[in-house]
Amino acid sequence: MVIKPKIRGFICTNAHPMGCAENVRQQIAYVKQQPTVSPAPKKVLVIGCSTGYGLASRITAAFGAGAATIGVCFEKPPTEKKTATAGWYNTAAFHQQAEQADLYYHTINGDAFSDECKADVIERIKADLGQVDLVIYSLASPKRRDPKTGEVYSSTLKPVGQTYTTKTYDTDKDRVHDVTLEPANDEEIANTVKVMGGEDWELWLSALHEAGVLAPNCRTTAYTYIGKKLTWPIYGHATIGRAKEDLDRAAAALNERYQDIQLQAWVSSLKALVTQASSAIPVMPLYISLIYKVMKEEGTHEGCIEQIYRLFTEGLYAESATLDEQRRLRMDGKETNDATQAKIEALWDQVEQDNFHQLADYEGYHSDFLRLFGFGLENVDYDADVDPVVNW
Ligand code: NAD
């Protein structure tokens, strides 16, 4: 079939297999051009490995450090009539490239929140790798089924404490307008923490430790976004921010609990970027379009792969990484420093419907959005008839 993007609201409902493969290839090429990650992990588990920051983490571990990788993701396979999700095609492309490079890989497509998935991963580690020395936790999910009670929790993206009115950009209608967001109630806050907080990260580490598959001096990190004044009301100080604070609690608990193997756990703060997860958050498309404009002008713009390569070399495996007061690794400084934020705030105050396309880099935002699904990449013939069925 000839595959063209089908965009519905903030999501694209199909994906292009060749475009996704090209996207993965470009990320691998970037990592290969950089100095080898050293010291480096050898056997890596990436939970949430198929898109965004998790995919970049897997690519950096494999192609930047030569590591064997086991990945976990939750992706839809293709049929004759319907394309797979982008993460499916990304994973197929990653496998193909890892195979050619003679790197061990295995991916489990299942619900990472479940006990079964954890048991499958442990079995696979025992059979093929023995132990892992790095665990990346990069899940972004709107829902979580509690493995003990079976109850399904949903996260919400709402302010905490008070109603918040702000500008937003509707990507579907190409319209800048005000949006008023009602504050979350206590249950919505608690549910968001249940989905996106540290509990599942802790359950993973607990299961892996109990099974004896964490190597001595194993490292682990979960990803957060902290942001600044413009995003605090909808992110940092909102429901999702509460969940992310819970990651800080979990990191401290993990460091305390697994001293027997000298586990080192960090929360890593990454910059705002277009991913499937961030495009669903109100305000973020507008904010990201503005930071793209400012950071590209400053020459400090980075994508997922650049951020994660730096996280490995300047954070996780640096001789002396700089930590913030919460003991987090910070890779977001090029976005959150005061000078850059002042420029973004100045644009934010001016931006309205008529000047949006001049003040913001919406073209950059939109192009990155399409690329997430394998569209708009160089070297891909989008008029060609392609088979959507790609297996791994
Ligand atoms: P993403 O949507 O691109 O990736 C999410 C990954 O989780 C995918 O691999 C998906 O398959 C997997 N997944 C989702 N539900 C799953 C389930 N039930 N079982 C197994 N796998 C599942 O998201 P992302 O933006 O890369 O986010 C990853 C992490 O990085 C999140 O914690 C997010 O908060 C954080 N982060 C994102 C940004 C940003 O701007 N995008 C910035 C800083 C931090």
Side-chain angles (χ1 to χ4, degrees):
M1 64 170 77
V2 175
I3 306 169
K4 302 281 173 184
K6 282 190 204 157
I7 298 173
R8 306 265 176 281
F10 56 76
I11 195 80
C12 179
T13 60
N14 62 350
H16 199 288
M18 315 302 269
C20 290
E22 175 62 16
N23 192 359
V24 168
R25 199 195 58 72
Q26 288 184 9
Q27 291 193 48
I28 292 172
Y30 171 80
V31 164
K32 281 180 157 175
Q33 280 161 13
Q34 310 309 311
T36 307
V37 179
S38 173
K42 293 190 172 59
K43 297 170 183 181
V44 181
L45 170 61
V46 183
I47 303 159
C49 67
S50 55
T51 55
Y53 278 124
L55 173 65
S57 305
R58 190 177 198 183
I59 289 173
T60 303
F63 292 91
T69 60
I70 292 184
V72 179
C73 60
F74 205 33
E75 301 295 344
K76 270 211 187 85
T79 66
E80 295 290 342
K81 292 201 181 113
K82 201 168 181 326
T83 72
T85 48
W88 178 278
Y89 291 136
N90 291 339
T91 304
F94 175 87
H95 284 187
Q96 201 188 19
Q97 299 270 341
E99 182 78 37
Q100 279 174 15
D102 210 14
L103 290 166
Y104 172 91
Y105 59 89
H106 184 82
T107 304
I108 290 172
N109 192 35
D111 180 9
F113 297 126
S114 70
D115 289 342
E116 296 74 31
C117 183
K118 293 179 175 77
D120 286 351
V121 168
I122 287 167
E123 201 180 308
R124 182 55 65 170
I125 297 173
K126 281 185 173 166
D128 295 351
L129 303 180
Q131 291 184 320
V132 289
D133 55 12
L134 174 64
V135 179
I136 300 280
Y137 190 84
S138 185
L139 288 188
S141 172
K143 281 190 174 31
R144 172 175 169 223
R145 181 187 293 276
D146 184 294
K148 304 287 175 280
T149 63
E151 194 173 334
V152 177
Y153 294 88
S154 295
S155 60
T156 35
L157 296 163
K158 287 189 177 178
V160 167
Q162 59 196 40
T163 303
Y164 175 58
T165 299
T166 181
K167 289 178 191 178
T168 194
Y169 177 71
D170 187 332
T171 50
D172 214 16
K173 302 197 177 81
D174 187 17
R175 206 164 67 85
V176 177
H177 62 97
D178 278 354
V179 60
T180 297
L181 302 159
E182 295 301 323
N185 61 35
D186 288 347
E187 193 184 354
E188 288 171 319
I189 297 170
N191 289 354
T192 307
V193 173
K194 190 86 183 164
V195 179
M196 288 294 286
E199 188 178 85
D200 184 58
W201 184 27
E202 289 179 285
L203 287 175
W204 268 101
L205 270 296
S206 165
L208 295 164
H209 181 263
E210 200 173 306
V213 297
L214 295 179
N217 302 310
C218 181
R219 296 166 200 218
T220 185
T221 188
Y223 296 149
T224 192
Y225 177 69
I226 295 173
K228 266 288 171 68
K229 205 171 108 192
L230 286 172
T231 52
W232 279 342
I234 185 60
Y235 202 108
H237 297 167
T239 46
I240 181 76
R242 290 293 179 90
K244 295 297 188 184
E245 275 170 32
D246 191 56
L247 290 179
D248 296 329
R249 176 204 58 74
L254 292 172
N255 281 317
E256 179 69 29
R257 214 173 287 150
Y258 303 118
Q259 288 178 11
D260 58 335
I261 56 160
Q262 279 105 42
L263 178 89
Q264 293 187 75
W266 298 273
V267 170
S268 301
S269 184
L270 305 172
K271 75 174 281 239
L273 273 178
V274 187
T275 65
Q276 295 188 37
S278 67
S279 41
I281 302 175
V283 180
M284 278 315 218
L286 178 56
Y287 175 75
I288 293 175
S289 303
L290 292 175
I291 68 166
Y292 271 28
K293 180 80 167 187
V294 170
M295 294 179 74
K296 283 179 186 176
E297 278 172 11
E298 286 182 345
T300 55
H301 176 72
E302 291 177 314
C304 286
I305 197 68
E306 290 88 351
Q307 275 275 290
I308 296 295
Y309 176 79
R310 279 208 302 115
L311 173 66
F312 273 60
T313 51
E314 296 173 21
L316 293 172
Y317 291 93
E319 228 166 74
S320 55
T322 317
L323 300 172
D324 71 7
E325 70 289 351
Q326 297 281 346
R327 230 195 138 266
R328 301 184 200 104
L329 292 166
R330 298 294 294 259
M331 292 299 127
D332 53 358
K334 293 179 186 175
E335 170 193 343
T336 57
N337 70 80
D338 290 342
T340 302
Q341 284 294 313
K343 290 184 207 165
I344 300 165
E345 280 176 34
L347 291 179
W348 183 273
D349 291 342
Q350 296 167 50
V351 74
E352 53 188 37
Q353 179 70 30
D354 293 343
N355 60 19
F356 173 67
H357 288 274
Q358 286 80 55
L359 296 187
D361 179 24
Y362 179 66
E363 283 60 37
Y365 176 93
H366 189 60
S367 146
D368 275 9
F369 175 79
L370 288 175
R371 290 168 75 93
L372 297 177
F373 303 92
F375 296 107
L377 281 111
E378 316 72 27
N379 314 324
V380 177
D381 178 0
Y382 289 100
D383 295 319
D385 195 5
V386 292
D387 186 354
V389 179
V390 176
N391 292 314
W392 33 278

